[in-house]
Amino acid sequence: MASHTVLHSEVYNLYAPQDLRLRIFSNKGLMSSSLQLPGYQRAQPGTVNYGPSVPNLILMLAECEARANNLSTAEELLVDFRKKRMPTANANITYSSQNNLVKLILEERQREFAATGLRWLDMRRLFDDNEYNNLRSV
């Protein structure tokens, strides 16, 4: 059964062309190859796990390390995580500050949990965070 979820263009554009997670989405509508819908979800998961998951825990740990100013540890966690989702050459990141690294990790969470319902937990958690609450939450 196909999903009728379409990612917001800002979220869809967070994915690099080499990101394997793009295979979950299509750029065409379900019934028509002429309808262009970048970010159209090919298939929805049968269930959504709202409990702990390895990707969630790794990204949470990376965010905690970055916020604690352990930038090299946070970077290592994030790059290792990304290597499982794209070619190694594309997994490396560049950042200029602690704030920038935390934002990169939060963007990775957006890519990882797009259209799963798990972004709601980040939306609630970051609502009162003056530094990071303006990230797109779709």
Side-chain angles (χ1 to χ4, degrees):
M1 180 169 125
S3 170
H4 296 289
T5 302
V6 179
L7 292 182
H8 192 282
S9 61
E10 289 179 30
V11 175
Y12 185 75
N13 291 332
L14 287 174
Y15 293 95
Q18 304 83 5
D19 196 319
L20 298 175
R21 292 170 289 195
L22 273 178
R23 293 181 181 177
I24 298 169
F25 304 100
S26 175
N27 64 350
K28 296 178 174 41
L30 179 64
M31 303 304 241
S32 169
S33 62
S34 63
L35 180 62
Q36 297 296 306
L37 294 170
Y40 189 82
Q41 192 173 12
R42 290 181 191 269
Q44 65 187 24
T47 61
V48 176
N49 180 3
Y50 289 104
S53 68
V54 173
N56 190 19
L57 295 175
I58 291 171
L59 291 173
M60 190 182 311
L61 179 58
E63 182 183 344
C64 289
E65 293 290 351
R67 287 181 182 244
N69 209 25
N70 299 327
L71 304 185
S72 60
T73 304
E75 177 183 2
E76 183 179 342
L77 286 164
L78 183 58
V79 170
D80 287 346
F81 181 83
R82 290 168 53 88
K83 284 179 183 177
K84 308 286 190 288
R85 284 142 177 81
M86 60 193 69
T88 302
N90 301 102
N92 292 324
I93 59 170
T94 56
Y95 59 95
S96 57
S97 66
Q98 175 188 15
N99 186 23
N100 186 242
L101 181 56
V102 172
K103 286 184 179 182
L104 287 174
I105 293 167
L106 292 174
E107 285 178 358
E108 195 65 37
R109 291 183 66 82
Q110 287 181 284
R111 284 186 286 272
E112 185 66 20
F113 303 124
T116 65
L118 294 174
R119 286 289 300 144
W120 173 245
L121 302 174
D122 283 347
M123 291 168 54
R124 289 184 50 111
R125 178 173 64 90
L126 297 171
F127 180 77
D128 289 329
D129 189 325
N130 293 329
E131 191 67 35
Y132 305 109
N133 67 353
N134 62 344
L135 293 174
R136 175 151 285 293
S137 56
V138 176

